[in-house]
């Protein structure tokens, strides 16, 4: 956009006026168009007019400041290239000192983008001094922002500037020892990122000293953020130094007096174990993980249980059988339902590592315990991962306990639980087969589940009814049209006589979906007569559902059938007294005509 275009400049002037408007929404709208303003002004005027205006802006609305901080990162390409991008640092430096956390974080993020786009000379001349000013700021918010920018400054500073890099390391050292806990937290949070751009000798020296200083901090909020640095530093250090420096710290953290620190260890421990390798994980960290599984705080046990499958895979079946599986058995009866749910979401993943014999001997009782849990999410998590056990031991050993659990979930008072189990039925059916799941056997359990699949079509919640229709379609795709004709279609047809029109509408939807799965012959023999009969339903909602259905069914039929069977029914519906029925019939006729012309 040319900068001398008078119309553009007029609109730019209006937008800048809006930036001064008292109305917050108007200012926000103008801020969101800063890239448009910059394009209209051109690079030179953006640098000389727009950026100084934003720098001097005294907007006190956090929402506006956040938008400016975000848009500044989008102006990098509008100021004239890497040689001039440093001009954006002035407004971002101001925003990096405000009290609102989200504004500062967005300003730091944009400042790092600016630094990444700068030349090495620009970094030395402009970015590093900005970081140093923030790091020495009187207000702690500036020093917090500096912690997030030091890594970019260090990485962009050329290796030949050894003195400048040394000053940056000294600056970070002061931030790690700052009197304000919030600054030390920020320093701990970004230590791993800073270490990643430092020279290896400095990582082993100065950075590790800062790390040891932070892990001994009196504030647990600082120590828990230092936990995240363990895995990051473990990947940077030679293995022997990682064992000597990082592993003892992790073991100490795992027994920290603050549960929040232990919680963070539980989340990060697997990443560190990957860094040190399986052998050291077994000999040095397995006991710490075992302690975390037995922690007094439920939140720590939840975080630990969530990693149990990955940890077992890392340390192997022998070590897991001796140390982890006994703890897993205890967690299966934990007093916290959330701990049991976290365990159930991943315990099935132990089976491939433990092997068939140990899974049957040690884990099967745990699976059965969780399948009988009173908390529906626990049972649901077990069923959703059943395929992992099926691959190892087959599902037969679980089957007698599985169907009662499925039935309880299928009738759960919470509709979202019912919806979730419906979505798993096709997977379970493909694993267990029709003989067990859907045909009547001992105790009629199979027939009971078959009845449930049809019962869901009459659920009081629309989402359940819709999912039930999709479920029948997927089951038909798994087992074929012959199975559907014997087990599904007759029962679905019976439901068309239900007194409630909403349920009849659901049956129309089910037949529509089944038509694409059973093939044209069955669709014409069994489904089309029922749909034609439904066009005479006394309730308009059912009739326009049929009108929509016929258009979808037409996609699965030959053109001659569409011409001879579908279109006449739709033409009749186009004469219906209800306007909605006529509308949807017209839409479906268009679909039919498109198919015929194709």
């Amino acid at each position: 956009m040319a900068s001398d275009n008078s119309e553009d400049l007029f609109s730019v002037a209006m937008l800048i006026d809006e930036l001064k408007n008292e109305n917050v929404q108007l200012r926000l709208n103008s801020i969101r168009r800063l890239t448009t303003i910059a394009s209209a002004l051109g690079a030179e005027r953006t640098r000389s007019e727009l950026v100084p205006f934003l720098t001097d802006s005294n907007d006190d609305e956090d929402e506006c400041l956040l938008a400016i901080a975000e848009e500044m990162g989008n102006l990098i390409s509008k100021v004239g290239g890497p040689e001039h991008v440093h001009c954006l640092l002035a407004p971002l430096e101001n925003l990096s000192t405000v009290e609102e956390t989200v504004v500062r974080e967005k300003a730091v993020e944009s400042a790092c983008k600016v630094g990444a786009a700068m030349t090495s000379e620009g970094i030395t001349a402009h970015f590093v001094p900005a970081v140093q000013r923030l790091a020495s700021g009187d207000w702690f918010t500036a020093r917090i922002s500096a912690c997030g920018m030091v890594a970019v400054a260090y990485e962009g500073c050329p290796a030949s500037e050894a003195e400048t890099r040394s000053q940056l390391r000294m600056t970070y050292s002061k931030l790690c020892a700052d009197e304000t806990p919030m600054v030390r937290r920020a320093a701990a949070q970004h230590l791993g990122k800073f270490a990643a751009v430092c020279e290896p000798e400095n990582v082993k020296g100065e950075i590790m000293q800062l790390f040891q200083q932070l892990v001994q901090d009196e504030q647990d909020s600082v120590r828990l953020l230092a936990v995240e640095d363990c895995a990051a530093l473990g990947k940077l250090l030679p293995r022997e130094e990682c064992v000597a420096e990082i592993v003892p710290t992790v073991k100490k953290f795992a027994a920290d007096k603050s549960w929040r620190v232990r919680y963070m260890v539980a989340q990060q421990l697997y990443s560190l174990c990957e860094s040190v390798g399986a052998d050291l994980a077994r000999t040095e960290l397995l006991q710490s993980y075992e302690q975390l599984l037995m922690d007094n705080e439920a939140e720590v046990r939840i975080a630990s249980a969530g990693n149990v499958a990955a940890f077992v895979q890392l340390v192997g079946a022998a070590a897991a059988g001796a140390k982890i599986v006994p703890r897993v058995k205890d967690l299966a009866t934990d007093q916290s339902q959330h701990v049991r749910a976290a365990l159930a979401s991943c315990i099935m993943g132990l089976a491939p590592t433990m092997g068939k014999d140990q899974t049957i001997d040690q884990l099967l009782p745990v699976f059965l315990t969780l399948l009988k849990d009173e908390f529906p999410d626990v049972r649901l998590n077990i069923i959703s991962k059943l395929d992992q056990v099926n691959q190892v031991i087959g599902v037969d050993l679980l089957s007698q306990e599985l169907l009662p659990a499925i039935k309880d979930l299928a009738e759960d008072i919470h509709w979202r639980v019912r919806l979730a189990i419906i979505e798993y039925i096709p997977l379970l059916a493909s694993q267990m087969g029709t003989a067990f799941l859907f045909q009547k056997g001992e105790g009629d359990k199979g027939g009971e589940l078959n009845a449930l699949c049809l019962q869901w079509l009459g659920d009081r919640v629309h989402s359940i009814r819709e999912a039930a229709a999709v479920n029948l379609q997927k089951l038909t795709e798994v087992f074929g049209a012959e199975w559907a004709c014997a087990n599904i279609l007759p029962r679905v047809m019976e439901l068309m006589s239900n007194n409630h029109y909403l349920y009849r509408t659901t049956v129309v939807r089910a037949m529509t979906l089944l038509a694409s799965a059973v093939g044209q012959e069955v669709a014409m023999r069994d489904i089309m007569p029922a749909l034609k009969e439904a066009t005479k339903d006394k309730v308009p909602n059912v009739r326009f559902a049929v009108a929509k259905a016929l258009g979808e069914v037409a996609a699965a039929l030959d053109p001659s059938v569409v011409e001879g069977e579908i279109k006449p029914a739709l033409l009749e519906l186009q004469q219906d007294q209800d306007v909605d029925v006529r509308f949807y019939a017209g839409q479906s006729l268009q679909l039919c005509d498109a198919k015929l012309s194709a």
Side-chain angles (χ1 to χ4, degrees):
M1 193 177 295
S3 59
D4 58 351
N5 186 305
S6 58
E7 185 177 348
D8 288 339
L9 292 181
F10 179 70
S11 65
V12 168
M14 291 181 62
L15 287 170
I16 291 180
D17 285 340
E18 288 176 6
L19 286 170
K20 304 175 183 178
N21 196 289
E22 292 184 2
N23 187 292
V24 175
Q25 191 57 51
L26 277 178
R27 297 206 302 276
L28 275 173
N29 292 340
S30 184
I31 291 166
R32 294 302 181 193
R33 288 181 283 172
L34 281 177
T35 53
T36 303
I37 299 174
S39 297
L41 288 173
E44 184 176 347
R45 293 193 65 191
T46 297
R47 296 195 303 270
S48 62
E49 297 179 28
L50 181 60
V51 174
F53 171 77
L54 294 171
T55 304
D56 297 335
S57 175
N58 58 357
D59 201 314
D60 57 356
E61 288 289 339
D62 290 334
E63 194 174 359
C64 293
L65 295 177
L66 178 62
I68 292 173
E70 183 176 359
E71 290 299 322
M72 294 305 293
N74 299 329
L75 292 180
I76 292 174
S77 61
K78 306 294 183 182
V79 295
E83 296 79 10
H84 301 286
V85 75
H86 62 83
C87 69
L88 298 173
L89 288 175
L92 287 172
E93 189 174 341
N94 290 343
L95 292 169
S96 298
T97 63
V98 301
E99 189 172 354
E100 179 55 47
T101 302
V102 292
V103 176
R104 289 200 315 272
E105 290 176 348
K106 184 57 69 174
V108 169
E109 180 184 328
S110 294
C112 289
K113 288 182 181 178
V114 171
M118 294 173 69
T119 62
S120 57
E121 293 79 8
I123 289 283
T124 305
H126 302 285
F127 198 83
V128 171
V131 172
Q132 297 286 21
R133 286 193 296 273
L134 289 170
S136 58
D138 293 333
W139 193 239
F140 73 92
T141 54
R143 303 197 296 275
I144 288 175
S145 296
C147 294
M149 296 167 62
V150 173
V152 174
Y154 199 92
E155 185 177 23
C157 184
S160 58
E161 297 284 345
E163 181 62 28
T164 303
R165 286 192 163 194
S166 176
Q167 290 175 359
L168 286 170
R169 293 196 302 273
M170 190 179 301
T171 296
Y172 207 88
S173 177
K174 291 179 181 178
L175 293 170
C176 289
D178 196 275
E179 62 181 6
T180 306
M182 286 82 82
V183 179
R184 300 199 302 276
R185 285 185 59 192
Q189 180 182 357
H190 295 284
L191 183 64
K193 189 188 302 181
F194 182 50
V197 299
C198 286
E199 300 83 359
E201 61 272 17
N202 290 320
V203 173
K204 290 186 284 187
E206 296 178 40
I207 300 299
M208 286 307 300
Q209 291 177 7
L210 298 179
F211 173 69
Q212 293 298 338
Q213 177 182 321
L214 291 169
V215 300
Q216 297 173 23
D217 197 279
E218 61 182 10
Q219 294 283 334
D220 64 349
S221 62
V222 177
R223 297 199 304 276
L224 71 88
L225 288 170
V227 172
E228 295 186 11
D229 298 323
C230 292
L233 292 173
K235 295 175 182 177
L236 297 173
L237 291 169
R239 193 180 184 204
E240 59 275 8
E241 293 195 23
C242 179
V243 175
E245 300 284 347
I246 303 295
V247 170
T249 301
V250 173
K251 294 166 75 172
K252 178 182 176 183
F253 275 153
D256 196 276
K257 62 183 179 182
S258 169
W259 74 265
R260 295 196 300 165
V261 175
R262 302 196 304 274
Y263 172 81
M264 191 64 72
V265 174
Q267 286 193 317
Q268 299 289 324
L269 188 61
Y270 178 70
S271 298
L272 180 64
C273 288
E274 280 189 314
S275 300
V276 301
D279 292 340
L280 279 172
R282 278 191 293 269
T283 57
E284 299 289 341
L285 296 173
L286 184 57
Q287 185 176 357
S288 296
Y289 183 65
E290 186 182 10
Q291 291 176 352
L292 294 170
L293 289 171
M294 299 185 294
D295 198 271
N296 292 329
E297 289 292 335
E299 285 80 0
V300 180
R301 299 197 301 277
I302 290 170
S304 303
N307 286 325
V308 68
F311 208 95
V312 166
Q313 185 178 13
L314 181 69
V315 301
K323 294 287 186 179
I324 297 178
V325 172
R327 306 287 79 80
V328 165
K329 291 178 180 178
D330 295 337
L331 292 178
T333 56
D334 194 276
Q335 62 182 357
S336 168
Q337 63 187 25
H338 301 294
V339 174
R340 302 195 303 273
L343 178 67
S345 68
C346 62
I347 189 174
M348 306 301 256
L350 272 64
T353 302
M354 300 300 292
K356 182 174 182 179
D357 293 339
Q358 289 198 64
T359 297
I360 293 173
D361 293 341
Q362 300 193 54
L363 296 179
L364 187 58
V366 180
F367 298 158
L368 297 178
T369 299
L370 294 172
L371 265 178
K372 299 174 184 176
D373 198 278
E374 62 182 1
F375 190 45
D377 281 5
V378 178
R379 305 195 300 274
L380 194 60
N381 288 345
I382 282 287
I383 292 171
S384 66
K385 301 293 175 62
L386 195 65
D387 58 316
Q388 295 174 327
V389 174
N390 188 29
Q391 295 168 3
V392 179
I393 65 171
V395 81
D396 292 342
L397 291 170
L398 281 172
S399 58
Q400 295 304 317
E401 304 293 338
L402 184 61
L403 284 176
I406 291 174
K407 183 178 183 299
D408 289 342
L409 291 168
E411 297 175 337
D412 193 90
I413 189 172
H414 301 290
W415 71 268
R416 293 184 188 278
V417 176
R418 301 199 301 277
L419 180 62
I421 195 61
I422 290 174
E423 293 171 349
Y424 289 121
I425 287 295
L427 174 63
L428 294 172
S430 63
Q431 292 172 353
M432 300 179 70
T434 58
F436 187 79
L437 277 179
F438 294 104
Q439 294 179 9
K440 293 186 177 182
E442 183 180 350
D444 268 356
K445 289 181 178 178
E448 193 173 345
L449 185 56
N450 190 17
L452 279 173
C453 288
L454 296 163
Q455 178 183 315
W456 284 320
L457 290 173
D459 196 276
R460 63 184 180 275
V461 178
H462 173 266
S463 297
I464 300 295
R465 298 196 300 272
E466 175 68 21
V470 175
N471 175 52
L472 295 179
Q473 179 194 26
K474 290 182 177 179
L475 288 173
T476 302
E477 290 172 350
V478 172
F479 298 124
E482 185 178 346
W483 172 84
C485 290
N487 295 276
I488 296 296
L489 280 174
R491 297 290 303 278
V492 171
M493 300 303 177
E494 291 174 10
L495 294 173
M496 275 304 294
S497 59
N498 192 291
N499 292 328
H500 202 301
Y501 79 93
L502 286 176
Y503 299 153
R504 299 200 299 276
T505 303
T506 303
V507 174
V508 169
R509 178 62 179 160
M511 289 193 293
T512 306
L513 294 172
L514 286 169
S516 64
V518 297
Q520 179 168 296
E521 181 181 350
V522 176
M524 292 304 301
R525 186 188 69 211
D526 297 329
I527 293 177
M528 276 302 298
L531 290 177
K532 286 183 177 181
E533 181 66 24
T535 61
K536 299 178 177 60
D537 196 281
K538 61 183 179 180
V539 179
N541 300 61
V542 178
R543 297 200 301 276
F544 75 61
V546 176
K548 289 193 291 185
L550 289 172
E552 293 184 45
V553 170
L557 302 177
D558 292 338
S560 59
V561 177
V562 174
E563 185 69 54
E565 298 286 342
I566 302 290
K567 285 192 68 176
L570 288 171
L571 288 170
E572 185 176 341
L573 287 171
Q574 257 199 329
Q575 308 304 316
D576 196 277
Q577 61 183 358
D578 188 88
V579 63
D580 291 324
V581 177
R582 296 197 301 272
F583 172 78
Y584 286 115
Q587 279 195 335
S588 292
L589 277 171
Q590 291 177 5
L591 293 175
C592 292
D593 291 338
K595 180 178 178 66
L596 292 173
S597 62

